Amino acid sequence: MLDNLMLGLSTALTPQNLLWCVIGVLLGTVIGLLPGLGSSTGVAVLLPLTFALDPVTALIMLAGIYYGAQYGGTITSVLISTPGEASSVVTTIDGYQMARQGRAGPALAIAAIGSFFAAIVSLLALLTVAPALAKAALNFGPVENLAIMLLGLVIVVTFQGGAFLRGAAMAILGVLISTVGVASGFSTARFTFGSVDLLGGIPFVEVMIGLFAVGEVLRQLRIGAAEPIRARFRDMMISRKDLLSSGPAIARGTGIGFALGTLPGAGSTLASFMAYGLESKINPNRRQFGKGAIQGVAAPESANNAAANANFIPTLALGIPGGATTAVLLGAFTIYGLQPGPLLFEQQPDLVWGLLVSFFIGNLVLLVLNLPLAPVFAQMLRIPYRYLYPIILITSLVGAYSISNNIFSVWIVLVFGLIGLVMKELDLPIAPLVLGLVLGPLLERAMVQTSALGQGNFGIVLGSPIATGVLVVAALLALLPALRHLLPRRGTRAPAEDPERDKVGQP
């Protein structure tokens, strides 16, 4: 381990690699700030700029864009309720509420701290168990992936608290929306109504921009523009109490993110949702979740970053992308004449360990830059909303158009902006719909592959101990709201009698 660490440090700390790592992080942060781009689009767009660089330098820069864009997306999620990509959706739930309470600075700061902690832990884990975890991930086939996807949907539904039925309905709606387009494993077009633009399905980035950014602007315009935040600058600084209360959430989020990030195809979106779902159940401050709990920002942001780093385990060791962005990076490996797989660790150790160590350096740069800048970013909320709303709308529509250079993307944003307004008015949870839309294609592909393996018999799922265990956990979580509904009825009598007992013997 120490030999690999020293080799990685000697590679990553060369002046050239260090410079391009910083450049990648800065470019990624700017890309993340622009609605609709995201890390995968940013890496794909800037990939040609790296052709003149050495492969290790180019990959370090592209990796910097990857996690820099994730933090940039966090900034917009917190300040203007506009997630840059699906993995930042959960951050908007409590992060935006914190911003409206004048605590945007602590929200952004804890996101940077949680990401940095996740980077350190995941780096150490990568250095020690990357090859072993890659082999263990091979045990997760379509059957196990199907169980994981179902667990993810159950978790995001159950963290809606009392809105279990509404959360389930929105998750199902998201899955149904994801069925638009060509069926997975087949050539049949569904629900396209003859439109060529719908053959590829309804893209979730445009849906997110519409539901969150445009939907929020329309809602504020209907009820009257909110007053600018007038919090004092010192209130924008993170406190020691915030750090201590967020520590366990960061640790748990890191563990969940790293575990799910090692699974091919799971990505960081599912990790962030699962981390938030767990915290909303076990955190001592769970009653404040959805109302501006800082732990609701710390957990998913840590999971997001840990999963992003762990995504490189299947990418480097197996040649299987862990998510959308690592799929683009996998193409970059091919362009540079490299073949990811088990032999890459033996044939190109300086490249592999230099790339992994650069994660720590890049996240350190993010921490150094963004921790002191968090209160400065938060000052943007002082801008009167009559100026801020047009900026949000313009950047949202331009960002949507830039994804595919197609006006159809703009119409998608506007339609889902109206849907988002209706959902906010009816108090319908948006997060389950987004996760259903993201997981829908993965769930369908896993179902098709599982059906093929079992020759049409889904009972094959019960033949896998891993899948069976995951489904049992999902079933218990699904039954939890019903059990909670029954348990308080039994416990309501005892507290009512306690005060009378306490009065006995009192003067």
Side-chain angles (χ1 to χ4, degrees), residues 128-433:
T128 53
V129 296
L133 284 176
K135 292 179 181 178
L138 288 174
N139 294 323
F140 281 78
V143 175
E144 290 76 19
N145 286 336
L146 174 62
I148 290 289
M149 300 305 165
L150 291 174
L151 176 62
L153 286 173
V154 169
I155 285 180
V156 74
V157 168
T158 56
F159 76 56
Q160 299 304 316
F164 178 80
L165 293 179
R166 284 179 289 172
M170 291 300 100
I172 293 171
L173 178 61
V175 173
L176 290 176
I177 292 174
S178 73
T179 60
V180 174
V182 178
S184 177
F186 301 92
S187 59
T188 306
R190 303 169 301 192
F191 312 119
T192 59
F193 306 102
S195 173
V196 177
D197 294 309
L198 288 175
L199 288 175
I202 297 180
F204 66 84
V205 174
E206 285 91 325
V207 172
M208 284 191 303
I209 294 174
L211 290 176
F212 288 93
V214 179
E216 179 65 20
V217 170
L218 292 178
R219 179 173 178 273
Q220 292 295 338
L221 290 176
R222 195 196 72 78
I223 64 177
E227 291 295 323
I229 303 299
R230 298 299 182 188
R232 297 170 296 181
F233 188 82
R234 68 181 182 185
D235 294 331
M236 296 290 186
M237 305 291 289
I238 191 167
S239 66
R240 185 169 178 267
K241 179 182 177 182
D242 290 331
L243 287 172
L244 293 176
S245 63
S246 301
I250 290 175
R252 286 187 288 264
T254 299
I256 293 172
F258 188 82
L260 288 176
T262 59
L263 303 180
S268 53
T269 303
L270 186 57
S272 61
F273 273 90
M274 280 195 166
Y276 186 90
L278 177 66
E279 285 303 314
S280 67
K281 297 298 179 187
I282 68 174
N283 196 283
N285 194 34
R286 56 185 175 273
R287 292 185 180 275
Q288 291 301 314
F289 272 58
K291 303 175 184 178
I294 193 168
Q295 298 88 349
V297 176
E301 284 299 312
S302 303
N304 184 8
N305 196 277
N309 290 347
N311 278 171
F312 282 87
I313 290 179
T315 304
L316 295 175
L318 303 175
I320 302 173
T325 308
T326 48
V328 179
L329 288 171
L330 196 61
F333 273 89
T334 305
I335 293 173
Y336 303 138
L338 301 170
Q339 181 59 51
L343 295 178
L344 186 65
F345 284 80
E346 298 178 7
Q347 296 175 349
Q348 299 280 348
D350 54 336
L351 183 145
V352 172
W353 301 115
L355 176 62
L356 296 181
V357 171
S358 74
F359 298 165
F360 170 77
I361 298 172
N363 279 278
L364 179 62
V365 172
L366 276 174
L367 184 69
V368 171
L369 288 177
N370 291 306
L371 196 57
L373 287 177
V376 179
F377 284 131
Q379 297 303 309
M380 189 181 77
L381 296 176
R382 291 177 176 267
I383 302 174
Y385 279 84
R386 62 179 179 274
Y387 302 128
L388 192 59
Y389 287 157
I391 295 174
I392 295 173
L393 286 175
I394 291 172
T395 55
S396 297
L397 297 178
V398 170
Y401 182 81
S402 65
I403 297 172
S404 57
N405 294 325
N406 191 342
I407 196 66
F408 182 75
S409 296
V410 177
W411 286 113
I412 290 288
V413 168
L414 293 176
V415 169
F416 276 91
L418 293 173
I419 294 174
L421 172 63
V422 173
M423 291 180 68
K424 290 175 185 293
E425 292 294 323
L426 298 177
D427 195 26
L428 296 173
I430 295 178
L433 187 149

Side-chain angles (χ1 to χ4, degrees), residues 436-457:
L437 182 61
V438 172
L439 291 186
L442 300 175
L443 181 64
E444 182 182 10
R445 183 165 63 249
M447 288 182 67
V448 170
Q449 293 172 342
T450 301
S451 177
L453 288 173
Q455 298 180 349
N457 181 15

